[in-house]
Amino acid sequence: MSTDRPVRTSPQPASTVREGEWYLDGLNPQQLEAVETLDGPVLVLAGAGVGKTRVLTTRVAHLLKTGRAWANEILAVTFTNKAAAEMLSRVETLTGARDGSAWMGTFHSIGSKLLRRHAELVGLKPNFTILDTDDQLRLLKQILKDENIDEKRWPARALATQIDSWKNRGFDPTHVPKPESIAFASGKGNSLYGLYQARLKRLNAVDFGDLLLESLRLLRDNPSLLESYQRRFRYILVDEYQDTNHVQYLWLRLLASAHKNICCVGDDDQSIYGWRGADVENILRFEKDFPGAKIIRLECNYRSTGHILAAASQLIAHNRKRLGKTLFTKSGAGEKPIVTGVWDGAEEAGEIATRIESARISGVSLADIAVLVRASFQMREIEERFLEVGLPYRVIGGPRFYERAEIRDAMAYLRCAHQPDDDLAFERIHNVPKRGIGETTLAALRQHARAHGLSLRTASRDLIARNGLKAKASHALLTLLNDLDRWGAEIDQKAPDQFVQMVVDESGLVAMWKAEKTEEAEGRLENLKELVRSLGEFSSLAEFLEHVSLVVDTAGADSGPRVTIMTLHSAKGLEFETVFLPGWEEGLFPHPRSLEETGQKGLEEERRLAYVGITRARRQAFIYHAANRRVHGQWQSSVASRFVSELPRDNVDFRESETREQWMPSAPSYLGVRPREAGAAGASPAPRGANSFTSGTARKPPRGMATGARVFHLKFGPGTVFAEDGGKLTVDFDHAGRKMVMDSFVEPA
DNA sequence: ACCCTCGCATTTTTT
DNA sequence: ATGCGAGGGT
């Protein structure tokens, strides 16, 4: 357990306090107010790009430097590990001190810390396992099977979502509201939730939701404990308050209720996680929840130029439910965002690639450029084009390191070695690599374990001793058990990295992937090596396992500047010189699912997503909408998103690609969809001036670039088509010579 | 026990 | 179009 003794960071004699406050230099008046208003509830409404993190970290530094609080009297919570790490390092820079005694971390890590300290009070052992989504699902599947529930009709995934949503809102199995308790499997939802919780307890495990809900319960049910933490955390800071769910809100309110020194920083306009339990109402309600709260608006934007900011502000002004801010910038008007209507997804990708090329030529680093999409399927087309033209890019948000199968397998071995009763880990590895222990054997083990209240490991030994298994299975199982036991005994004998190296070798995992001899397997082996390497940074396996349960980041090696491709969601908090926003079409953005599920509320969240997208740009934003797009293998025609028509005409430049004008000459697309006529959720009206190519045909129109045609390429200039092969053209350029290019890269000249 | 084929869904993602 | 999961065949 970490030391929590008070450590005075830098006591300041009264006379030098002013001089000691150099770290306040350069803050604007609102930022300064947000830093210096230390007592009582404060809500800092921090719009995009207003220096939010600076305020947060300076506030912590101020508390410490003025001697208002000891480090261990401060509780600072964030949502992501990245944000927590950033806060920690910036506070360290400001205070010049490294002091681990402040509780700075994610809601989940702080929940975990509390639970481990007082595990026995909630019926856990301090070494409980934190299940991830995968384990959770496996457990739920077992329960559904046991209860004879048809998994086709009632998928485990749906139950997981339901349970999550209950946990997010603070309901334990005894408090699920009646109407909802019948929500799943003809009324079994609530009891399945109960069974699941009981299983978790028996496994000495919690899921992510429990880290919050159980730590709330811990505090609620133990008044003296609560009181001690209330007394201890004299100053509470919360980042991204608009993303909190109900349990997090209750938890914060409970801890802050004694001294009320709670400072929440957030932006209602950037609340985009409603679908995973975040409740915008928390931030909208702040003044009611914390009477006498001071609201401070940070409205001076240091990121974007004028037109970009104006476009974003006008767009978000269409939302009804907001606290309202007026962002302004002192930098110039800059470039207007450009909205371009294109013919189809391929042209869109082509336009983006071309624009990036010219931006690169004019000196913008690729690292300063991002393509932000609504849904990840949009990435493929863009990636394909980038590959074709040799544009370096990276995709953010693929499967993360610790979620890869090979890593999860290795991790499961480690968990088994560490905690012999980790049944879920045991289930994962029992037949990986294949060793002839199939479903039949496993079922027998489960049954035996259940009947005698044993873990699978113990049950296996027991059943083998009683000759309850076939000889072949018995033999294979025994080998595994002996391996696990042997490793278990060696955990603390070896350095963590050597230990892991041994386990991946001796378990046969490395051999398994070596045998595959595919490029993919190579990568997996590489990942295993990376795993071993990363173990070098930990002093014990236990420490590593806790880290992995809660931390996800693994920065890939950087090899030169690259364009970033990611979803709008993962772009929150980031900024780029130039931002591309493709796919602003009805039927894609706003996403019909969101509209179906939550109607107006969903629409407003989608609009906030659009707002987040535009405000990522420092100097240039390019928005695209395509008339035709292939979705799930089907061609769909669509009109510009209603968000396009909500952009201010004075601050945005609307254009049409030549191809688009050629094939759909009638209405200007920037009119988009009027909110009223778009009321029917999800329905994409046929394009204005629909032509024979737009209504459900699976074939793309010819683009008039047959052999001999004169064409123009943005980079290579004018040329003559020499040959054409399924969209790939061989062109003799007047100045650049013969090149292979994609047809969408050239315009008919 | 393992492999293969068919059917189905397919927004967003952190911890 | 495509990938993942379940169920049936070997």
Side-chain angles (χ1 to χ4, degrees):
Chain A
M1 196 122 304
S2 62
T3 53
D4 283 318
R5 247 173 303 122
V7 178
R8 176 154 292 245
T9 27
S10 36
Q12 299 288 343
S15 58
T16 66
V17 161
R18 282 320 314 175
E19 288 150 48
E21 290 179 348
W22 55 269
Y23 56 88
L24 299 178
D25 287 352
L27 292 178
N28 68 37
Q30 291 73 36
Q31 290 175 326
L32 195 62
E33 190 184 12
V35 167
E36 292 189 314
T37 311
L38 296 176
D39 294 314
V42 178
L43 176 63
V44 180
L45 276 177
V50 296
K52 174 196 76 161
T53 309
R54 175 152 188 224
V55 163
L56 210 48
T57 52
T58 309
R59 190 179 161 99
V60 175
H62 193 56
L63 282 167
L64 294 171
K65 288 236 171 192
T66 55
R68 272 297 195 105
W70 308 107
N72 72 331
E73 291 172 322
I74 295 173
L75 171 66
V77 273
T78 63
F79 273 84
T80 64
N81 292 296
K82 205 175 140 199
E86 164 111 9
M87 173 137 71
L88 198 61
S89 91
R90 285 174 70 163
V91 168
E92 268 176 25
T93 308
L94 288 173
T95 59
R98 186 177 312 269
D99 187 335
S101 64
W103 285 46
M104 272 190 215
T106 63
F107 278 99
H108 290 86
S109 70
I110 287 167
S112 168
K113 197 165 169 180
L114 282 173
L115 287 181
R116 288 206 199 276
R117 287 191 161 196
H118 311 287
E120 67 294 345
L121 294 176
V122 287
L124 290 165
K125 287 182 247 163
N127 67 342
F128 60 79
T129 308
I130 300 167
L131 301 191
D132 63 18
T133 327
D134 222 66
D135 297 318
Q136 196 185 357
L137 232 43
R138 193 161 320 124
L139 195 54
L140 286 170
K141 276 183 185 161
Q142 282 176 29
I143 292 170
L144 289 173
K145 208 165 211 175
D146 292 349
E147 297 298 300
N148 288 318
I149 289 166
D150 181 8
E151 268 200 71
K152 270 270 160 63
R153 270 193 72 191
W154 306 103
R157 189 85 205 78
L159 181 56
T161 309
Q162 177 68 76
I163 289 177
D164 250 14
S165 124
W166 284 329
K167 288 187 176 178
N168 284 158
R169 286 176 293 151
F171 303 131
D172 68 23
T174 60
H175 291 92
V176 173
K178 276 265 163 51
E180 287 187 40
S181 65
I182 57 163
F184 190 89
S186 339
K188 300 227 182 73
N190 200 2
S191 70
L192 290 168
Y193 180 20
L195 289 171
Y196 172 67
Q197 289 308 109
R199 280 290 250 294
L200 287 177
K201 278 280 149 62
R202 209 172 326 138
L203 286 165
N204 188 33
V206 297
D207 63 18
F208 287 126
D210 286 335
L211 290 175
L212 307 171
L213 185 51
E214 290 288 86
S215 61
L216 175 66
R217 193 161 69 85
L218 171 75
L219 296 173
R220 265 192 183 156
D221 293 355
N222 299 279
S224 61
L225 192 73
L226 170 63
E227 205 186 312
S228 76
Y229 279 108
Q230 283 174 334
R231 228 178 304 120
R232 170 191 187 138
F233 297 133
R234 292 175 46 226
Y235 291 93
I236 299 177
L237 292 92
V238 188
D239 192 15
E240 306 277 18
Y241 189 62
Q242 79 282 354
D243 287 338
T244 49
N245 64 32
H246 194 65
V247 173
Q248 288 159 335
Y249 155 73
L250 292 173
W251 187 85
L252 288 168
R253 199 182 60 175
L254 199 57
L255 281 171
S257 60
H259 50 66
K260 306 211 169 49
N261 297 330
I262 181 169
C263 172
C264 295
V265 180
D267 181 3
D268 51 324
D269 290 336
Q270 293 185 69
S271 163
I272 56 174
Y273 285 112
W275 50 273
R276 68 177 196 211
D279 190 355
V280 216
E281 295 297 325
N282 288 344
I283 194 166
L284 300 176
R285 238 188 16 237
F286 190 84
E287 278 182 287
K288 289 200 190 89
D289 288 334
F290 297 95
K294 177 127 200 172
I295 312 279
I296 298 167
R297 286 180 161 76
L298 303 183
E299 297 176 310
C300 178
N301 176 293
Y302 296 101
R303 180 185 296 155
S304 311
T305 46
H307 287 307
I308 290 171
L309 208 55
S313 302
Q314 293 273 329
L315 175 69
I316 200 64
H318 287 79
N319 271 5
R320 288 290 178 84
K321 279 210 157 185
R322 56 193 294 257
L323 294 167
K325 287 183 302 301
T326 315
L327 292 187
F328 62 94
T329 175
K330 288 177 181 164
S331 51
E335 304 276 320
K336 290 182 183 178
I338 297 175
V339 178
T340 311
V342 294
W343 176 240
D344 62 8
E347 189 182 23
E348 179 181 66
E351 290 282 321
I352 293 175
T354 313
R355 285 258 182 218
I356 293 177
E357 257 328 305
S358 33
R360 167 147 79 166
I361 288 163
S362 66
V364 180
S365 161
L366 293 185
D368 257 329
I369 298 176
V371 182
L372 310 180
V373 298
R374 174 63 185 87
S376 41
F377 79 86
Q378 294 173 260
M379 291 178 182
R380 181 189 308 210
E381 207 161 23
I382 311 248
E383 280 187 72
E384 276 171 8
R385 178 56 56 106
F386 286 5
L387 284 171
E388 277 164 4
V389 300
L391 200 54
Y393 68 89
R394 63 182 176 142
V395 172
I396 305 285
R400 286 176 302 254
F401 186 72
Y402 291 116
E403 283 168 4
R404 290 159 203 251
E406 65 276 18
I407 299 301
R408 295 185 54 85
D409 290 337
M411 294 294 307
Y413 272 98
L414 299 177
R415 279 165 57 183
C416 278
H418 174 67
Q419 227 219 13
D421 294 343
D422 193 332
D423 282 359
L424 289 158
F426 185 83
E427 293 220 6
R428 181 169 182 104
I429 56 147
H430 79 276
N431 203 27
V432 180
K434 302 239 184 306
R435 54 169 69 86
I437 304 172
E439 195 49 42
T440 321
T441 310
L442 190 64
L445 291 177
R446 282 209 204 98
Q447 213 262 323
H448 189 71
R450 183 78 68 79
H452 298 85
L454 304 170
S455 70
L456 288 174
R457 275 279 277 287
T458 321
S460 307
R461 285 265 180 220
D462 199 42
L463 210 53
I464 291 168
R466 296 178 190 215
N467 283 321
L469 295 171
K470 294 229 176 72
K472 198 177 150 219
S474 206
H475 182 73
L477 193 53
L478 200 57
T479 311
L480 174 65
L481 291 172
N482 289 339
D483 282 346
L484 291 175
D485 287 349
R486 181 162 43 80
W487 296 327
E490 286 199 60
I491 277 191
D492 293 317
Q493 311 300 317
K494 282 185 138 97
D497 53 344
Q498 284 175 28
F499 177 77
V500 175
Q501 183 68 59
M502 173 183 77
V503 172
V504 294
D505 283 335
E506 295 184 4
S507 62
L509 286 177
V510 167
M512 175 175 93
W513 294 116
K514 273 194 176 148
E516 225 183 76
K517 293 201 170 84
T518 62
E519 209 168 307
E520 196 199 353
E522 295 265 317
R524 293 180 189 273
L525 282 167
E526 200 45 53
N527 287 336
L528 286 176
K529 274 189 200 150
E530 177 59 38
L531 177 72
V532 172
R533 234 174 287 140
S534 70
L535 256 295
E537 295 164 26
F538 295 88
S539 54
S540 75
L541 188 74
E543 189 193 309
F544 171 72
L545 291 173
E546 172 79 5
H547 169 88
V548 172
S549 311
L550 292 171
V551 175
V552 219
D553 63 290
T554 334
D558 269 321
S559 47
R562 290 159 181 281
V563 177
T564 303
I565 303 176
M566 65 180 140
T567 63
L568 287 162
H569 281 92
S570 34
K572 190 168 72 139
L574 305 177
E575 61 175 65
F576 301 89
E577 197 73 6
T578 303
V579 163
F580 292 87
L581 302 164
W584 283 42
E585 295 132 34
E586 286 296 304
L588 174 55
F589 190 34
H591 202 286
R593 261 313 194 282
S594 177
L595 270 36
E596 277 159 34
E597 278 164 22
T598 40
Q600 180 67 22
K601 216 172 142 216
L603 175 62
E604 296 212 346
E605 184 158 313
E606 294 284 310
R607 193 177 280 115
R608 292 193 288 265
L609 208 44
Y611 173 77
V612 166
I614 297 175
T615 53
R616 294 315 93 193
R618 285 198 290 261
R619 318 216 77 91
Q620 277 202 298
F622 296 96
I623 295 169
Y624 295 89
H625 57 94
N628 301 284
R629 191 179 292 281
R630 206 165 48 181
V631 183
H632 310 318
Q634 293 273 288
W635 280 98
Q636 281 181 10
S637 36
S638 37
V639 293
S641 165
R642 66 195 77 184
F643 298 151
V644 167
S645 59
E646 291 170 5
L647 294 168
R649 304 277 284 275
D650 290 344
N651 304 287
V652 177
D653 196 351
F654 295 90
R655 302 181 185 180
E656 306 266 302
S657 79
E658 274 181 37
T659 327
R660 185 182 167 111
E661 281 197 321
Q662 183 184 342
W663 294 107
M664 38 194 325
S666 53
S669 60
Y670 57 79
L671 291 177
V673 177
R674 306 245 175 95
R676 194 162 295 180
E677 73 186 75
S684 317
R688 289 154 214 258
N691 58 58
S692 59
F693 293 106
T694 55
S695 33
T697 41
R699 150 178 75 90
K700 284 168 66 177
R703 298 183 69 238
M705 278 172 294
T707 308
R710 287 290 288 169
V711 294
F712 183 83
H713 187 279
L714 208 92
K715 195 169 158 192
F716 301 131
T720 309
V721 177
F722 173 77
E724 191 260 334
D725 172 29
K728 286 191 176 65
L729 301 178
T730 307
V731 182
D732 288 323
F733 288 105
D734 300 352
H735 306 294
R738 181 171 292 185
K739 303 263 182 204
M740 287 270 276
V741 296
M742 294 305 293
D743 63 354
S744 46
F745 254 71
V746 298
E747 296 297 335

